[in-house]
């Protein structure tokens, strides 16, 4: 009888240890999932994914450090919420994988929200934008119709490409060729060299490039689309998105946004295009 009781006690003890071990594994797994979620509200870290060749929103400054309007906005938002900010230059094609894995908290880099509403949780739209066409000033291209038979280039996976493959596919069909490239700085180098006839890009990019080379380029009056910039978060991260939107509103009210717009005005950025008020 004593032997049977001993066996029973041993079995009960072993089961208790197993339950405790399973509970420990479940707790550790849950913590790991939270850490990988990229949720700034949970981790106290805002990891900003951005294209480092996208002035004036995100780029490498003359001192070799990352700078830009969006990066400055992100730094101020992080400070006001007690978060640590980290800038993560990304391959634009990999942005969704990085966001969904938790490697970055958000995509904050002149990110157009139109057409992407089902794929991300967005902050409130904060900046007016549009897709436009830029050409060399001396090429006699004055309208969208003049692009027939011409070589046009845009950035891979960009809003401009989405428009030209979607609502304005009829226009793109008139081009001799619609090329894509990794980043806009190289696209404008190709425009300057004559390798292409036009660049399809964001309004902000057009304004920056024209301000950098006065008289070299012109922007066609006819736009491809009108849209808005917002900060893109992993689908479901509404808490961080709402905190960012509220903080941007506070920054507008206390004049911080206007100061930052003025800081980058030489790059063609205008305070008149700011939306969160």
């Amino acid at each position: 009888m004593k032997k049977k009781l001993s066996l029973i006690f041993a079995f009960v003890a072993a089961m208790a240890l197993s339950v405790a071990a399973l509970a420990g594994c479940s707790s550790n797994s849950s913590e790991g999932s939270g850490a990988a979620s990229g949720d700034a509200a949970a981790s106290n870290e805002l990891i900003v994914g951005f294209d480092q060749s996208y002035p004036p929103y995100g780029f490498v400054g003359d001192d070799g450090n990352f700078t830009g309007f969006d990066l400055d906005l992100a730094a101020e938002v992080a400070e006001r919420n007690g978060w640590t900010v980290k800038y993560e230059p990304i391959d634009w094609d990999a942005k969704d994988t990085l966001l969904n894995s938790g490697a970055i908290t958000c995509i904050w880099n002149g990110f157009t929200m139109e057409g992407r509403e089902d794929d991300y949780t967005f902050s409130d739209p904060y900046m007016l934008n549009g897709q436009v066409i830029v050409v060399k000033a001396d090429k006699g291209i004055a309208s969208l119709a003049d692009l027939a038979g011409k070589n046009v280039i845009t950035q891979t996976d960009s809003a401009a490409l989405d428009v030209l493959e979607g609502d304005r596919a009829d226009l793109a069909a008139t081009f001799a060729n619609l090329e894509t490239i990794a980043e806009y700085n190289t696209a404008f180098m190709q425009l300057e060299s004559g390798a292409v006839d036009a660049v399809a890009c964001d309004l902000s990019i057009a304004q920056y490039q024209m301000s950098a080379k006065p008289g070299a380029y012109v922007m066609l009056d006819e736009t491809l689309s009108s849209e808005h910039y917002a900060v893109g978060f992993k689908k479901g991260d509404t808490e961080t998105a709402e905190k960012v939107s509220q903080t941007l509103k506070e920054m507008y009210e206390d004049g911080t946004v206007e100061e930052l717009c003025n800081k980058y005005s030489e790059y063609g950025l205008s305070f008149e295009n700011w939306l969160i008020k």
Side-chain angles (χ1 to χ4, degrees), residues 14-178:
M15 289 297 293
L17 287 172
S18 297
V19 170
L22 286 171
C25 289
S26 174
S27 174
N28 289 339
S29 173
S30 208
E31 289 176 14
S33 175
S37 70
D39 187 336
S43 66
N44 289 324
E45 184 176 43
L46 185 71
I47 308 173
V48 179
F50 73 104
D51 178 350
Q52 64 179 326
S53 301
Y54 205 78
Y57 289 89
F59 59 103
V60 180
D62 294 337
D63 59 0
N65 294 320
F66 297 133
T67 188
F69 178 67
D70 278 350
L71 301 189
D72 284 1
L73 287 177
E76 183 66 21
V77 166
E79 182 176 347
R80 295 188 185 205
N81 284 283
W83 302 332
T84 300
V85 69
K86 179 181 178 183
Y87 302 140
E88 191 66 45
I90 62 173
D91 179 343
W92 200 243
D93 288 342
K95 63 185 181 301
D96 293 344
T97 300
L98 294 169
L99 185 64
N100 291 325
S101 70
I104 58 176
T105 312
C106 61
I107 302 167
W108 197 337
N109 190 205
F111 193 42
T112 301
M113 65 184 297
E114 278 79 7
R116 294 171 168 146
E117 293 91 343
D118 293 337
D119 301 323
Y120 307 88
T121 291
F122 280 103
S123 70
D124 292 344
Y126 64 91
M127 187 68 80
L128 182 66
N129 184 46
Q131 298 305 317
V132 300
I133 297 288
V134 178
V135 298
K136 290 186 74 172
D138 58 357
K139 291 301 181 181
I141 300 174
S143 69
L144 295 179
D146 293 337
L147 295 173
K150 299 294 193 294
N151 293 313
V152 180
I153 195 168
T154 190
Q155 187 181 48
T156 304
D157 199 28
S158 64
L161 182 61
D162 288 345
V163 171
L164 289 170
E165 291 182 338
D167 293 343
R168 303 309 303 268
D170 56 338
L171 174 66
T174 69
F175 302 162
N177 193 29
L178 176 59

Side-chain angles (χ1 to χ4, degrees), residues 195-240:
V196 297
D197 301 297
V199 177
C201 63
D202 288 30
L203 172 63
S204 58
I205 295 299
Q207 291 172 329
Y208 166 73
Q209 294 289 346
M210 290 191 297
S211 65
K213 292 181 180 267
Y217 306 125
V218 294
M219 182 173 66
L220 301 188
D221 291 336
E222 301 168 85
T223 62
L224 299 175
S225 69
S226 179
E227 56 207 29
H228 306 85
Y229 284 160
V231 187
F233 298 87
K234 183 178 179 179
K235 195 71 175 178
D237 188 5
T238 55
E239 183 177 358
T240 312

